[in-house]
Amino acid sequence: MLKRLLGAAIVVAGVGAAVAAKLLNDQKKNTEEPEEDNDVHFITLADGDGINEPSFDASDKSEEVQEICGVYPYLNPDFVENLLDNSEEFNQMFEKDTLITIHHHVVFDNQHKLTAFGDIMSAAGYEVSEEGVSKRIFTEDGAIISDILNVANQAAVLDGVYDTFSIDAEK
């Protein structure tokens, strides 16, 4: 389960961070005067895009928490550890292959970053509303935790705070 979770997480985290950097860089460029530069510029997280570097240390946590924090470096290791402690409960909430909707609530102090978060999550297949973001998925081992980690990490990349989630089974 951990290998599948980490594999999917690496792809989502990389795409999310790149999209976040691009959106923030585009917003910054839209507020500046246009340039006549036609050179190709690669966007990185170190270009001053308004994205902070992660500062958590997971060295005192289990190997599993350290691996997940390696994929999701913006998440507090205590948050990750708490989710993992509840993984069996999440896996038993619904029968396998049940269609559910996970609703995530996040909080942002910066409207531009909230907008960027919404754009990123929409591009990743989430429904965006004033209440937060939601996504319909089929349950399988690790699916709920993986979704929470993806959303929470993306919010943290943009200085947002992951508040809570709720789950509805489709009828």
Side-chain angles (χ1 to χ4, degrees):
M1 175 182 97
L2 179 61
K3 288 183 181 182
R4 286 189 1 209
L5 176 67
L6 288 175
I10 289 171
V11 172
V12 171
V15 170
V19 172
K22 172 133 178 56
L23 287 171
L24 288 173
N25 194 36
D26 288 350
Q27 286 178 350
K28 185 171 72 175
K29 284 183 180 179
N30 287 339
T31 61
E32 298 173 355
E33 292 183 24
E35 16 177 282
E36 296 295 322
D37 185 4
N38 291 328
D39 293 337
V40 174
H41 297 279
F42 293 96
I43 299 168
T44 66
L45 293 177
D47 285 344
D49 300 329
I51 298 175
N52 297 324
E53 290 295 319
S55 61
F56 292 109
D57 178 19
S59 62
D60 63 335
K61 300 295 182 185
S62 71
E63 185 176 323
E64 187 176 24
V65 170
Q66 289 178 28
E67 288 179 22
I68 291 174
C69 287
V71 176
Y72 298 103
Y74 291 87
L75 294 181
N76 184 323
D78 294 334
F79 175 82
V80 173
E81 186 173 52
N82 185 42
L83 277 177
L84 291 177
D85 287 346
N86 293 307
S87 66
E88 195 58 40
E89 179 184 330
F90 291 138
N91 289 336
Q92 293 177 356
M93 288 175 78
F94 304 96
E95 290 183 30
K96 189 174 182 177
D97 294 326
T98 300
L99 182 59
I100 61 170
T101 301
I102 303 179
H103 307 277
H104 304 275
H105 184 262
V106 295
V107 178
F108 284 89
D109 291 335
N110 180 304
Q111 184 62 39
H112 292 295
K113 290 183 178 184
L114 173 61
T115 301
F117 175 79
D119 291 345
I120 291 164
M121 299 313 289
S122 178
Y126 286 80
E127 184 177 317
V128 179
S129 69
E130 288 182 21
E131 294 80 35
V133 297
S134 59
K135 187 171 189 176
R136 294 174 64 190
I137 63 170
F138 285 97
T139 58
E140 61 180 89
D141 285 350
I144 294 172
I145 286 180
S146 179
D147 198 60
I148 294 168
L149 291 169
N150 289 332
V151 175
N153 191 67
Q154 188 58 66
V157 167
L158 296 170
D159 298 323
V161 176
Y162 186 87
D163 187 31
T164 188
F165 70 93
S166 63
I167 302 173
D168 297 323
E170 299 293 319
K171 297 176 181 174

